[in-house]
Amino acid sequence: MTLPLTPRPTTTNKEQQLSKEEKGKIIPNHTYVKDKDPHKIGLVLEGGGMKALYTSGVLDYFLEKDLHVPYIVGVSSGACSATSYISKQSGRNKNIIVNYIDHPQYMSVRNVLKQRSILKLDLIFRTIPLQYEPLDFKTFDASNQHFLIGTTDGHSGKPIYISKEDCSSNEWDLHEVLRASCSLPFALPSVKLNGKTLFDGAISDPLPIRKVFEDGNKKAIVILTKDNTFKIKAFKRKRLVRFFYPRYRGLASSLVKLADAYNESLRLLKQLEQQGKAFIIQPQEKVTVGRVERNKERLEGLYAQGYEDAKHCYERLNRWLAWD
């Protein structure tokens, strides 16, 4: 089932006049054509490191049922999960994590000494997704699904959404943008792209629900990676951020506000669910997988949980999709 498409972004006259070099210096700014279609559906994908295997299970069930949501916005590992959904490569995201977690370079202290990250980033964001488990770029680029990757501007602390179209036109490198969206402060280094210093997209917009409706969608399917017992802890170490990232006051401000922003997004999500405007899929059992996890049995189990939860709620989802 292919849902009605959200209108594709149009290019303004100002953007047409910009040179390629100038385009790389501006934040992607899309204008959406408004229409009267009441069925425009968005898909929101939360991050959570390896917890996103739950999302991969849900999306693989969607592929099995031929359900293709026209508008997708994801942050952090949620955005990574979306790529295989758009390229219609069922099982790819699970393979990228589960099949290579034992790779000697995947996670090690040596990585910390060499690149200030416990993860081997070039392996995870270049070698595996481009060589070992290559993305089907032909299918990905040909898809009419509109896809936004959420990142955080280090200087302003505000979200920057980079689209599939931006990446397909070679203005932005897709896998570097995905890497930026996963760049959690203190754990992973920032990513410098097109004159900007980018961090994890979940810092500035942990659940980009408002973005879906701002862009003209009428409903949203939201896949969460945490069960309903999860509570985010307030970040109280602003001075620590300023010590490690003295040039990025916006980042520090967003980190301090993260817990409130996440909880506010959850409250909004519940309101939208009660109004029939949001459909939530989230783990029905307590999630024991950590943000970084090496236990293959737990990883496989979380993926299976996502698949089974999607299967269990699919009839109800179909009725919701048909409801105006």
Side-chain angles (χ1 to χ4, degrees):
M1 182 199 322
T2 302
L3 300 175
L5 289 174
T6 301
R8 297 288 291 274
T10 59
T11 305
T12 64
N13 291 333
K14 182 179 179 180
E15 286 176 318
Q16 290 174 345
Q17 295 170 2
L18 291 174
S19 67
K20 184 174 181 179
E21 181 180 356
E22 289 171 322
K23 282 182 179 180
K25 295 178 181 178
I26 65 171
I27 297 174
N29 181 24
H30 303 299
T31 303
Y32 292 86
V33 180
K34 295 182 179 180
D35 62 19
K36 297 180 180 180
D37 181 4
H39 296 286
K40 291 185 294 184
I41 307 294
L43 176 62
V44 179
L45 304 178
E46 183 182 22
M50 293 181 182
K51 290 184 176 72
L53 269 173
Y54 177 85
T55 301
S56 297
V58 174
L59 295 180
D60 281 354
Y61 187 78
F62 282 7
L63 286 176
E64 185 178 306
K65 303 302 289 186
D66 202 26
L67 174 64
H68 306 286
V69 184
Y71 174 108
I72 305 162
V73 57
V75 294
S76 197
S77 53
C80 295
S81 299
T83 58
S84 298
Y85 173 59
I86 296 169
S87 66
K88 300 179 175 62
Q89 290 173 276
S90 181
R92 176 176 174 267
N93 273 91
K94 183 185 76 166
N95 292 341
I96 285 176
I97 295 178
V98 176
N99 290 357
Y100 299 96
I101 195 68
D102 290 335
H103 191 290
Q105 294 183 341
Y106 197 105
M107 192 186 312
S108 71
V109 176
R110 181 177 296 180
N111 292 336
V112 178
L113 300 176
K114 284 189 173 183
Q115 57 180 35
R116 294 167 50 203
S117 167
I118 193 171
L119 302 175
K120 181 69 172 177
L121 299 176
D122 287 342
L123 175 72
I124 294 171
F125 289 100
R126 308 298 300 185
T127 306
I128 294 176
L130 293 175
Q131 297 178 28
Y132 299 165
E133 302 285 344
L135 179 71
D136 182 349
F137 275 101
K138 184 176 181 180
T139 302
F140 181 85
D141 289 339
S143 172
N144 285 325
Q145 289 166 293
H146 183 52
F147 173 40
L148 294 176
I149 303 168
T151 66
T152 298
D153 185 302
H155 291 285
S156 70
K158 302 297 183 182
I160 296 179
Y161 301 98
I162 302 168
S163 74
K164 179 168 72 73
E165 291 79 14
D166 294 317
C167 297
S168 297
S169 65
N170 294 319
E171 295 297 338
W172 300 76
D173 181 300
L174 173 64
H175 285 88
E176 285 303 296
V177 172
L178 291 171
R179 176 172 167 174
S181 187
C182 295
S183 294
L184 189 67
F186 306 112
L188 302 177
S190 62
V191 174
K192 297 185 184 300
L193 283 176
N194 294 347
K196 301 187 181 301
T197 302
L198 303 175
F199 291 88
D200 194 313
I203 296 170
S204 55
D205 196 358
L207 289 175
I209 302 161
R210 296 182 189 277
K211 180 65 176 170
V212 172
F213 291 95
E214 287 172 358
D215 285 352
N217 294 284
K218 305 300 181 183
K219 293 181 176 181
I221 301 170
V222 182
I223 303 178
L224 303 177
T225 57
K226 291 97 172 175
D227 60 84
N228 57 18
T229 66
F230 176 80
K231 302 293 182 184
I232 190 169
K233 296 179 180 178
F235 186 87
K236 300 179 179 179
R237 299 180 179 179
K238 192 171 184 178
R239 290 183 180 178
L240 186 64
V241 184
R242 288 182 174 175
F243 176 78
F244 279 95
Y245 303 102
R247 298 172 57 191
Y248 306 120
R249 292 186 176 274
L251 174 69
S253 177
S254 291
L255 277 171
V256 171
K257 298 174 183 176
L258 176 57
D260 288 340
Y262 184 79
N263 293 331
E264 174 59 30
S265 294
L266 283 179
R267 284 191 290 271
L268 173 62
L269 179 57
K270 293 298 182 182
Q271 291 175 7
L272 292 169
E273 182 184 38
Q274 292 171 2
Q275 296 168 6
K277 295 181 179 179
F279 189 97
I280 303 171
I281 303 176
Q282 73 179 129
Q284 297 303 298
E285 301 175 7
K286 186 174 179 61
V287 176
T288 58
V289 168
R291 179 175 287 275
V292 178
E293 177 69 62
R294 301 198 76 158
N295 187 311
K296 284 192 174 185
E297 185 176 345
R298 288 181 180 176
L299 293 170
E300 292 269 14
L302 185 59
Y303 171 85
Q305 186 180 349
Y307 182 91
E308 290 300 323
D309 283 353
K311 183 177 181 180
H312 178 74
C313 73
Y314 194 73
E315 286 189 15
R316 184 164 54 89
L317 174 60
N318 262 332
R319 292 193 298 271
W320 178 82
L321 289 171
W323 176 77
D324 283 356

